[in-house]
Amino acid sequence: MTHDILKPHWSRYLGPSAPDPHKYIYETHDDPIFASPFGPFPPSPDCLNIHELCFPPNNPLPSDYPLFINAVTEETITLHQFYTRACALARVLRYDGPNPLSLEKSPLNDKEDGEILGLFSRNHLQYPAVAHACFRSELVFGGISPASTPYELWWILRKMQITSIVCHETLLPVLQGALKLGSGDNDNLLLKLVLDPRKVIVLSDNSHLDTVSGHRTIESLIREGMKLPERPRKLLGGDRMAYLFQSSGTSGLPKAMMITHRNGYHSAMQTLITAVQSARFAGVEPLSPPGRTLGVIPMYHSYGMILWILRVNLMQNTNILLPKWDIELALKSIQKYKITHLPLVPPLVRQLAQSDLTDKYDLSSVIGAGSGAAYLPPDVAYQLAKKLPQGAAMPIPSGYGLSEAASIASPAAPGIFGLEPALPGTIGYLLPGMEGRVVDPETLKDVPKGEKGELWARGAVVTPGYFKDAPATAEIFTEPGWLRTGDLVMRDQKDRIHYLDRLKEMIKVKGLQVAATEVEDTLLDHPEGLVCDACVVSLNVRT
């Protein structure tokens, strides 16, 4: 029987080669290249579009339910409303449709020029639908940090070659400041500003407005799209560029990395594969009951993209969105909406772990919390777990990924495939479809188990490279297909990965390389608990 990744059942996430969680035992080995215990990805069509994976054209929508809820205003978008609105907006955004915005065809890769839409907004109820409208209309978009200064925005608009932009109304002054900096003709950056000021679209909190500051609103475009007929067409995806990510900029101003449809939908499937296999191992129905997730991770970020955009309709889940982090609002929302899952980042884990406010609210609905995007100190992982129903016996797990490869490794359910627990201090095992190596960053030779080295990763989630930046792409792909993560790790005897530090943040002390995280952990482990937080950096001091 042919595997069908578009069928409306959780088995779509398990390919013909998926290991049996009860019978299969993962065998460790000493080969330099090691692979995920969960096996490969299920097969998928060569030209699959992200939107088509989430909403297969021949499958009826499931029963309606609240998909996104604004925790402040209580405004709600249901699954059916989301789909209807995304389809309507896509009809307006198609370059070969009525095209009221005069949009051009998007590039397939960075060898071409074309329309690229910037998404410049904080978390917003409409943001995921705009992204899906782009997927459906084959319009490439670029997610931009809402914390950008005018100069930072000007820089990333050029790096992404943004030609049109959706801007939240509160960020219009930042956009105007960026435009005032000009095209960049007087500097050395080859990519100049190409944004057309006539192609600014406003994301407004007032759904009744058709224009803001002379620019059309997303709502007005959706209303126009509702009146347009649908033109049936086969959506194109696969290795075509779907969106651009803004890099973290840890080594300077941010770069723009390309994410294909193939990259995106495989990132979406990884945690679903692990969830299905873990449920089968526990003897319960996979992806059931429906979940309720706290939505604070930024949507422009790779972590948020997976949570709020790439997994829409792949499982039933209601997302309670916080426009910005507010610990008391978060706790009130957990209690009010009986939230089941808390995707967090280390600073928020620490704040929740150390706050007395947690004693004021009922957190009994939470069945799982997790951390990503940065290193999570073990003591904090245990500290927050003690406050949740899972208890200290199940410390907060920390996953690992990069903007260049959204998800690479994560702890697995203890015992599945015979795996040992991945306790805090490790980032767990390779996720489905991934292969890894640990390499000496200077000699580029694989190192044995138990030794420090740079993690190299290979798999369908890995970016094809930085947009129109061949030198930067060459730096992360010393060998074809193998992404140099820039992170120092150690692979132990059980093939668990231990994160140590960013290579560029290693500190040389008397000829030895010392990880900043090791110093931070030592400070945080003060025997009298006198240190509640720590950040270690290297200073080059000349005397």
Side-chain angles (χ1 to χ4, degrees):
M1 184 177 181
T2 303
H3 177 265
D4 184 2
I5 200 170
L6 301 180
K7 62 185 175 184
H9 188 262
W10 55 257
S11 58
R12 65 192 291 199
Y13 306 120
L14 301 180
S17 302
D20 186 300
H22 294 287
K23 298 178 181 178
Y24 172 71
I25 301 298
Y26 175 76
E27 294 185 6
T28 60
H29 56 80
D30 294 329
D31 295 342
I33 297 176
F34 60 111
S36 171
F38 288 86
F41 284 111
S44 60
D46 289 339
C47 210
L48 183 61
N49 183 288
I50 292 170
H51 179 75
E52 202 166 53
L53 175 72
C54 294
F55 295 95
N58 297 321
N59 293 350
L61 287 175
S63 299
D64 207 9
Y65 65 91
L67 182 61
F68 293 105
I69 300 175
N70 185 313
V72 176
T73 65
E74 299 185 348
E75 182 184 359
T76 300
I77 290 181
T78 69
L79 175 69
H80 290 197
Q81 289 171 335
F82 177 94
Y83 180 70
T84 300
R85 292 166 64 82
C87 291
L89 184 57
R91 291 192 283 271
V92 174
L93 297 181
R94 278 293 302 197
Y95 70 93
D96 57 355
N99 200 4
L101 298 172
S102 300
L103 301 179
E104 299 178 1
K105 185 178 180 180
S106 286
L108 303 183
N109 50 51
D110 68 341
K111 304 297 187 292
E112 302 178 352
D113 296 322
E115 197 76 51
I116 298 180
L117 178 76
L119 294 187
F120 185 42
S121 174
R122 56 175 170 78
N123 279 11
H124 193 280
L125 214 59
Q126 311 301 343
Y127 194 120
V130 175
H132 268 267
C134 289
F135 296 146
R136 188 176 175 90
S137 62
E138 296 168 19
L139 173 60
V140 174
F141 67 89
I144 304 172
S145 169
S148 299
T149 64
Y151 181 80
E152 290 167 337
L153 175 60
W154 180 67
W155 175 271
I156 200 65
L157 288 175
R158 294 170 64 184
K159 295 293 284 186
M160 290 184 174
Q161 290 292 276
I162 298 296
T163 55
S164 51
I165 192 167
V166 172
C167 179
H168 190 268
E169 56 191 348
T170 60
L171 297 174
L172 282 172
V174 182
L175 176 59
Q176 292 161 359
L179 292 174
K180 288 178 181 178
L181 295 174
S183 64
D185 288 333
N186 297 323
D187 61 37
N188 295 324
L189 183 64
L190 294 177
L191 301 175
K192 306 305 179 183
L193 187 70
V194 294
L195 173 61
D196 187 341
R198 297 168 298 179
K199 295 182 181 178
V200 175
I201 309 162
V202 176
L203 189 56
S204 174
D205 293 330
N206 186 341
S207 62
H208 301 292
L209 297 178
D210 285 333
T211 62
V212 173
S213 300
H215 304 292
R216 291 197 64 173
T217 64
I218 283 292
E219 287 294 338
S220 75
L221 295 175
I222 291 174
R223 283 191 280 271
E224 181 172 344
M226 292 287 190
K227 301 173 185 177
L228 298 174
E230 185 69 51
R231 290 176 53 189
R233 52 166 58 89
K234 174 68 176 73
L235 298 185
L236 301 178
D239 290 326
R240 293 168 175 249
M241 192 162 62
Y243 53 94
L244 298 172
F245 268 143
Q246 174 181 333
S247 71
S248 59
T250 53
S251 57
L253 287 166
K255 296 184 281 287
M257 70 206 62
M258 299 176 283
I259 303 296
T260 66
H261 283 272
R262 184 170 176 264
N263 293 151
Y265 67 71
H266 280 109
S267 291
M269 285 195 293
Q270 280 181 318
T271 51
L272 296 175
I273 293 170
T274 60
V276 166
Q277 291 286 48
S278 297
R280 294 175 69 209
F281 179 65
V284 299
E285 180 70 13
L287 306 184
S288 180
R292 291 173 296 280
T293 302
L294 182 68
V296 66
I297 305 300
M299 293 180 177
Y300 81 91
H301 191 274
S302 59
Y303 188 3
M305 179 70 72
I306 293 173
L307 292 169
W308 321 128
I309 296 171
L310 299 179
R311 297 198 311 206
V312 172
N313 199 40
L314 296 183
M315 60 180 180
Q316 185 172 333
N317 186 65
T318 297
N319 307 286
I320 314 301
L321 299 181
L322 276 64
K324 63 179 181 179
W325 174 251
D326 179 313
I327 187 171
E328 187 141 27
L329 176 60
L331 292 168
K332 286 180 180 178
S333 299
I334 294 171
Q335 178 175 285
K336 177 178 179 179
Y337 294 102
K338 299 187 184 306
I339 286 174
T340 57
H341 293 84
L342 305 179
L344 303 166
V345 292
L348 305 188
V349 176
R350 183 177 294 280
Q351 190 175 352
L352 287 167
Q354 296 179 348
S355 175
D356 294 334
L357 287 172
T358 54
D359 296 330
K360 293 173 52 179
Y361 297 94
D362 181 7
L363 308 182
S364 62
S365 61
V366 178
I367 60 175
S371 180
Y375 171 72
L376 180 67
D379 66 313
V380 183
Y382 285 103
Q383 197 173 355
L384 179 58
K386 291 177 183 177
K387 294 186 171 188
L388 300 176
Q390 62 200 62
M394 295 181 62
I396 307 301
S398 181
Y400 170 79
L402 308 166
S403 298
E404 292 85 351
S407 40
I408 296 175
S410 182
I416 190 171
F417 309 132
L419 299 177
E420 297 288 335
L423 299 176
T426 82
I427 51 175
Y429 299 90
L430 290 173
L431 283 165
M434 298 305 298
E435 293 179 301
R437 296 164 61 187
V438 182
V439 178
D440 185 309
E442 295 183 0
T443 66
L444 302 185
K445 302 294 184 182
D446 296 290
V447 302
K449 282 184 172 183
E451 292 190 13
K452 298 177 182 179
E454 182 185 15
L455 178 63
W456 290 16
R458 181 168 66 181
V461 304
V462 173
T463 176
Y466 294 112
F467 185 64
K468 294 185 181 293
D469 194 341
T473 298
E475 287 182 10
I476 61 170
F477 290 109
T478 302
E479 292 185 20
W482 284 101
L483 172 68
R484 299 188 62 172
T485 67
D487 287 321
L488 188 69
V489 303
M490 185 272 289
R491 171 191 174 196
D492 70 17
Q493 295 302 316
K494 300 295 184 181
D495 284 348
R496 291 170 294 200
I497 303 169
H498 299 247
Y499 178 85
L500 301 176
D501 213 334
R502 288 290 295 171
L503 276 170
K504 292 181 180 179
E505 294 172 5
M506 294 296 289
I507 304 168
K508 184 166 284 189
V509 181
K510 296 180 179 179
L512 299 177
Q513 295 286 351
V514 178
T517 51
E518 292 181 64
V519 182
E520 290 168 353
D521 284 349
T522 301
L523 291 170
L524 293 169
D525 199 31
H526 190 283
E528 297 179 23
L530 298 181
V531 179
C532 63
D533 205 351
C535 180
V536 174
V537 296
S538 175
L539 293 178
N540 293 318
V541 180
R542 294 184 179 181
T543 57

